[in-house]
Amino acid sequence: MTRKTRTPAAQRNAFYAQSGGVTAVINASACGVIETARKYPRRIGKVYAGRHGIIGALTEDLIDTSRESRETISGLKYTPSGAFGSARFKLKSLEQNRAEYERLIEVFRAHDIGYFFYNGGNDSMDTALKVSQLSESLGYPITCVGVPKTVDNDLPHTDCCPGFGSVAKYIAVSTREAALDVASMARTSTKVFVLEVMGRHAGWIAAAAGLAGRKPGDPPHIILFPEVPFDQAAFLAKVRFSVDHYGYCVVVVSEGAAYPDGRFLAEAGTTDAFGHSQLGGVGPVVANMVREAHGYKYHWAVADYLQRAARHIASRTDVEQAYACGKAAVELAVKGVNAVMPTIVRKSSRPYRWVIGHVPLAEVANREKKIPREYLSADGFGISPACRRYLEPLIAGEAYPPFRDGLPDYVRIKGAAVRRRLKTGFKI
Amino acid sequence: MTRKTRTPAAQRNAFYAQSGGVTAVINASACGVIETARKYPRRIGKVYAGRHGIIGALTEDLIDTSRESRETISGLKYTPSGAFGSARFKLKSLEQNRAEYERLIEVFRAHDIGYFFYNGGNDSMDTALKVSQLSESLGYPITCVGVPKTVDNDLPHTDCCPGFGSVAKYIAVSTREAALDVASMARTSTKVFVLEVMGRHAGWIAAAAGLAGRKPGDPPHIILFPEVPFDQAAFLAKVRFSVDHYGYCVVVVSEGAAYPDGRFLAEAGTTDAFGHSQLGGVGPVVANMVREAHGYKYHWAVADYLQRAARHIASRTDVEQAYACGKAAVELAVKGVNAVMPTIVRKSSRPYRWVIGHVPLAEVANREKKIPREYLSADGFGISPACRRYLEPLIAGEAYPPFRDGLPDYVRIKGAAVRRRLKTGFKI
């Protein structure tokens, strides 16, 4: 794409990076950022993406997104994972490692980067905030806007978080399907099925499994949340009740489920033949607990990455919100709004209506939103009608990717590197 | 539905039962049986389904499918699991328990059942054959036609087996998605991802994961088949090679993967805190093996029932073949063809063309079809082009169920019981 207008003085480049665990729709946010930036050629020159997130900035390994075709950028909307590479790399505090922040500014300055879009969770919002503050104090101001992303749905100040709706839909759908399977076999085979889901600190993903049932007695019969201290006796009694009354029991357990003293159930778990721990997840631990107590035949599944990568069954609502957050980030930035994160603001649940708002990064950084008590059922093993009302719109709608030869035809970027301008390297 | 024609003498009722592990499309076969039977009212009266499969016949617990609406029956085409209930219940040999077979005939006679459609795998074909033989010798001839079903794809004489294409598609899609996730994170996080899939004796499901990659070096980098004795040194070397060359390694392991001496890898596995074994599956065992040897950060997933229940991502080819087998079973039966099973006959791979054939039950019963050596790559860790050519058409096409409130709107049968006619009960 050749640009015919002359570059105005106000035009600066943008840097975009993906951070932390990826999702089915983080690339939809990338698509929103890049497509929207292309609409403001007088303000934003090129969008450079960090190869492997912030590491790409520190090592001056930048991907020139202007070298990607319109089709590839558009295809990001239906491609899961982090197309530019993500990183689990938390910058230390300014006091502890000021050099890292100064290096970022140095790279940004070398590439005339005036906008920093950071697509991540709580930690990333903290980093974006610090970059904004330091860039100011170093006399090279950068407009820093966060783009929310986390499957855990634990960011505060936003009604929900892009990435969550799709994993929620995957878990709700999978729970409904597996439960039908167990129900049809329970007479002579598996009586108890345990599905382990993600969410180490907040049980939003586990809660989404609750959408699989509509009526009392529908599966899942038991959900184990990180927010509810595990009561083994109550749990085992409820398993027995379910098997006695419905013929089977479907249990969904969050990886963060823990005993009252804070120990994760998973920790209390397994050792391998050599005596090493950490082999099993909480799914097999819980399944085995049931077998010990009741002797029921069981099966367990651990969805692991399958759940957060499952773009094939993404929530259309989630895809739209992910894109909208990326788009809004750019629109805020070109308006000069700095150190904020776009949020999803719910206007009504039935019918579902939402708009994009924004919140200062300082208010988001390093905080977590857990499930409130009123979203849980009285016995703590299920979700309340209020929770269902909250969750249901988030999984609404399908947004199937295109298929080729029976498989989703996800795009892959060329990933052309921007020529390095600095002589100095940086050791991660 | 009231019938205006008089019942001709030749009209007899039919019995249909689901057997063994259920699939995403076994109900599509049920739909094919019931809808087709309704087209032959002068030959077939009512279709009775066994509640929980053959157990429903033994205990005279029959479901009157004529009480189900046209919409419900049609909805079976997109509803996973066994809508009438299935059973893991293998009849003993005639010599060992002739009483069971005689009881079946007794129930069939009491309900004027002249057709027996048994929807299952190898064992079920054996049962159907014996019922046919015994009914003959007891002077109450029943036309017995098997309907093939197994996710394992291990039935002989049919090019493929309904149920397999959909689990194959689920595994190929999930492998592709999870691999993208791992690839985008590997720089700073998980290097090795292990997905455990079903298939205790035959590696067809594991092979399907191979469809996720297109070029050499694409994930999955390693597939562990039951057909290939596990070579730990070669495996670990290949894991290291993959991580060194591609930055990460995706491993798909069949639950039936075994050492040269026949021990399952899963058995060699884990003990829990109390010293009990059998807690973990082969997925965590393999992942841990990699950690022991190389120290890589790993994740593992066990899809378990999710894979065979995943109607939301079923193969359209599979759905069509499942229906066609159910339909053909009835058409064969009304023509008086006895003791056979419809088969899928491949006419060509590219373009894919298939027709329905049939084979005597005696040739199917109790045999298994494993992956031939020429379907494996030279090193035994992947699939060959011939295997890809075989598998690819089986996952072609999507056949999405309808959705409501963000979830697949699967049907549930009323399940009205047929009035009992026998005074005697039967203890399972």
Side-chain angles (χ1 to χ4, degrees):
Chain A
M1 198 173 77
T2 49
R3 251 195 221 105
K4 289 196 177 115
T5 54
R6 275 195 321 152
T7 308
Q11 191 211 55
R12 294 171 76 195
N13 296 319
F15 176 76
Y16 165 81
Q18 302 180 318
S19 178
V22 294
T23 78
V25 302
I26 183 171
N27 288 331
S29 289
C31 178
V33 166
I34 296 167
E35 288 190 344
T36 309
R38 288 180 177 185
K39 289 185 180 149
Y40 294 95
R42 294 196 299 181
R43 306 300 307 280
I44 300 180
K46 296 192 169 185
V47 177
Y48 297 145
R51 197 181 314 272
H52 294 293
I54 202 71
I55 288 179
L58 291 166
T59 58
E60 206 195 348
D61 191 359
L62 309 178
I63 294 167
D64 185 350
T65 69
S66 75
R67 305 276 293 277
E68 306 293 338
S69 71
R70 199 184 293 265
E71 291 67 36
T72 300
I73 297 302
S74 167
L76 293 175
K77 216 180 292 180
Y78 57 76
T79 298
S81 86
F84 304 100
S86 186
R88 286 207 184 280
F89 185 85
K90 188 179 176 178
L91 273 76
K92 298 202 180 67
S93 72
L94 260 175
E95 297 68 38
Q96 282 179 286
N97 199 341
R98 193 177 170 92
E100 275 180 353
Y101 292 90
E102 289 178 344
R103 169 68 180 182
L104 279 182
I105 309 288
E106 183 190 15
V107 171
F108 290 165
R109 194 194 292 260
H111 292 276
D112 194 23
I113 287 165
Y115 303 95
F116 175 32
F117 300 108
Y118 206 23
N119 204 167
N122 326 58
D123 289 351
S124 311
M125 298 306 134
D126 186 47
T127 300
L129 177 61
K130 283 177 186 146
V131 169
S132 162
Q133 291 164 343
L134 191 67
S135 73
E136 208 80 53
S137 75
L138 291 176
Y140 183 79
I142 297 171
T143 303
C144 297
V145 179
V147 185
K149 172 244 56 167
T150 164
V151 293
D152 292 328
N153 202 37
D154 57 355
L155 287 180
H157 300 293
T158 182
D159 180 68
C160 61
C161 186
F164 171 67
S166 293
V167 73
K169 188 179 184 97
Y170 173 91
I171 292 299
V173 170
S174 298
T175 301
R176 174 170 289 183
E177 290 179 333
L180 280 175
D181 185 311
V182 178
S184 69
M185 300 292 299
R187 173 80 187 262
T188 54
S189 183
T190 298
K191 296 266 189 295
V192 177
F193 175 69
V194 179
L195 171 61
E196 173 183 328
V197 305
M198 286 180 160
R200 192 154 280 269
H201 304 293
W204 293 105
I205 297 176
L211 296 174
R214 292 190 204 275
K215 301 187 311 295
D218 277 357
H221 306 100
I222 299 176
I223 303 175
L224 300 176
F225 301 95
E227 288 87 349
V228 181
F230 182 64
D231 177 342
Q232 180 161 342
F235 166 70
L236 289 171
K238 184 143 189 180
V239 171
R240 177 174 288 271
F241 177 89
S242 298
V243 173
D244 286 349
H245 285 73
Y246 315 120
Y248 67 109
C249 181
V250 172
V251 180
V252 175
V253 56
S254 171
E255 58 177 341
Y259 287 102
D261 65 5
R263 258 179 326 141
F264 288 124
L265 267 67
E267 279 171 43
T270 54
T271 53
D272 63 22
F274 308 92
H276 301 286
S277 65
Q278 198 260 340
L279 184 56
V282 65
V285 168
V286 166
N288 201 52
M289 198 183 282
V290 170
R291 190 189 59 152
E292 296 277 325
H294 301 316
Y296 297 136
K297 189 182 173 198
Y298 66 80
H299 260 240
W300 51 267
V302 177
D304 195 61
Y305 290 156
L306 271 51
Q307 69 199 284
R308 73 180 193 192
R311 180 62 185 81
H312 74 271
I313 190 64
S315 151
R316 197 179 66 223
T317 304
D318 191 33
V319 174
E320 288 170 357
Q321 292 180 339
Y323 186 91
C325 284
K327 176 170 181 272
V330 173
E331 289 169 347
L332 286 162
V334 296
K335 276 191 217 145
V337 185
N338 184 29
V340 296
M341 179 189 86
T343 57
I344 316 285
V345 181
R346 184 182 299 229
K347 297 307 229 179
S348 83
S349 288
R350 293 177 183 166
Y352 183 49
R353 285 202 313 267
W354 57 276
V355 295
I356 294 287
H358 62 273
V359 64
L361 287 174
E363 293 188 20
V364 185
N366 294 322
R367 293 198 207 160
E368 277 179 354
K369 183 176 71 176
K370 301 200 174 201
I371 302 190
R373 186 64 186 84
E374 67 266 25
Y375 274 15
L376 303 178
S377 61
D379 69 1
F381 287 130
I383 61 171
S384 71
C387 187
R388 177 177 296 272
R389 203 153 43 240
Y390 167 73
L391 290 172
E392 216 162 48
L394 308 184
I395 68 164
E398 293 68 57
Y400 300 118
F403 277 68
R404 189 157 64 96
D405 298 336
L407 284 161
D409 197 15
Y410 296 133
V411 298
R412 199 171 296 190
I413 61 160
K414 281 190 299 193
V418 177
R419 184 196 295 268
R420 284 198 163 78
R421 295 191 176 170
L422 295 173
K423 299 223 165 65
T424 51
F426 190 87
K427 202 82 194 148
I428 294 296
Chain B
M1 197 172 79
T2 48
R3 254 199 218 101
K4 294 206 172 103
T5 54
R6 273 198 322 154
T7 306
Q11 191 209 56
R12 294 171 76 194
N13 296 318
F15 175 75
Y16 166 81
Q18 303 181 318
S19 177
V22 294
T23 79
V25 302
I26 183 172
N27 288 332
S29 289
C31 178
V33 166
I34 297 167
E35 288 189 345
T36 309
R38 288 181 178 187
K39 288 185 180 149
Y40 294 94
R42 293 196 299 182
R43 307 299 306 282
I44 301 180
K46 297 195 170 185
V47 177
Y48 297 144
R51 198 181 314 273
H52 294 293
I54 202 71
I55 288 178
L58 290 167
T59 59
E60 205 194 350
D61 190 357
L62 307 177
I63 295 167
D64 185 350
T65 69
S66 74
R67 303 275 293 275
E68 306 294 337
S69 71
R70 199 182 294 264
E71 291 67 36
T72 299
I73 297 302
S74 168
L76 292 176
K77 217 181 290 182
Y78 57 76
T79 298
S81 87
F84 303 100
S86 186
R88 286 207 183 283
F89 186 85
K90 187 179 175 176
L91 274 76
K92 298 203 180 66
S93 71
L94 260 174
E95 295 69 37
Q96 283 180 285
N97 199 342
R98 192 177 170 93
E100 275 180 354
Y101 293 90
E102 290 179 343
R103 169 67 179 182
L104 280 182
I105 310 288
E106 182 190 16
V107 171
F108 291 165
R109 194 192 294 259
H111 292 276
D112 194 24
I113 287 165
Y115 303 95
F116 175 32
F117 300 108
Y118 205 23
N119 203 168
N122 326 58
D123 289 351
S124 310
M125 297 308 132
D126 186 48
T127 301
L129 176 61
K130 283 178 186 144
V131 169
S132 161
Q133 292 165 342
L134 191 67
S135 72
E136 209 80 52
S137 75
L138 290 177
Y140 183 79
I142 297 172
T143 304
C144 296
V145 180
V147 185
K149 172 247 51 168
T150 163
V151 293
D152 292 328
N153 201 39
D154 59 355
L155 287 181
H157 300 292
T158 181
D159 180 67
C160 61
C161 186
F164 171 66
S166 293
V167 73
K169 187 179 183 98
Y170 173 90
I171 291 299
V173 170
S174 297
T175 301
R176 174 170 288 182
E177 291 178 332
L180 281 175
D181 186 311
V182 178
S184 69
M185 300 293 299
R187 174 77 186 265
T188 54
S189 183
T190 298
K191 296 266 188 295
V192 177
F193 175 69
V194 179
L195 172 60
E196 173 183 327
V197 305
M198 287 179 160
R200 192 153 280 268
H201 303 292
W204 294 105
I205 297 176
L211 295 174
R214 292 190 203 275
K215 300 187 312 296
D218 277 357
H221 306 100
I222 299 175
I223 303 175
L224 300 176
F225 301 94
E227 287 87 351
V228 181
F230 181 64
D231 176 342
Q232 180 162 342
F235 166 70
L236 289 171
K238 183 143 190 180
V239 170
R240 178 175 288 270
F241 177 89
S242 298
V243 173
D244 286 350
H245 285 72
Y246 315 121
Y248 68 107
C249 182
V250 172
V251 179
V252 175
V253 56
S254 172
E255 59 177 340
Y259 287 102
D261 65 4
R263 257 180 327 141
F264 287 125
L265 267 65
E267 279 171 41
T270 53
T271 52
D272 65 20
F274 308 93
H276 301 287
S277 64
Q278 199 258 341
L279 185 55
V282 65
V285 168
V286 166
N288 200 53
M289 197 183 284
V290 169
R291 190 189 60 151
E292 295 276 325
H294 299 317
Y296 297 136
K297 189 181 173 198
Y298 66 80
H299 260 240
W300 51 267
V302 177
D304 196 61
Y305 291 155
L306 271 52
Q307 69 200 286
R308 72 180 194 194
R311 180 60 184 81
H312 74 272
I313 191 66
S315 151
R316 197 180 64 224
T317 304
D318 191 33
V319 175
E320 288 169 359
Q321 292 179 338
Y323 185 91
C325 284
K327 176 171 180 275
V330 174
E331 289 169 347
L332 287 163
V334 295
K335 275 190 220 147
V337 185
N338 184 30
V340 296
M341 178 189 86
T343 58
I344 316 285
V345 180
R346 184 183 298 228
K347 296 307 229 179
S348 82
S349 287
R350 294 177 181 165
Y352 183 49
R353 286 203 312 268
W354 56 277
V355 296
I356 295 287
H358 63 272
V359 64
L361 287 175
E363 293 188 21
V364 185
N366 293 322
R367 293 197 208 161
E368 276 179 353
K369 183 176 70 175
K370 301 200 174 202
I371 302 190
R373 187 63 188 83
E374 67 266 25
Y375 274 15
L376 303 178
S377 61
D379 69 0
F381 288 130
I383 61 171
S384 70
C387 187
R388 177 177 298 273
R389 204 154 41 241
Y390 167 72
L391 289 173
E392 217 163 49
L394 308 184
I395 69 164
E398 294 67 58
Y400 301 117
F403 276 69
R404 189 158 63 96
D405 298 335
L407 284 162
D409 197 16
Y410 297 134
V411 299
R412 200 171 296 190
I413 61 159
K414 281 190 299 193
V418 177
R419 184 195 295 268
R420 286 197 162 77
R421 295 191 177 172
L422 296 173
K423 297 223 165 65
T424 51
F426 191 85
K427 201 84 192 148
I428 293 296

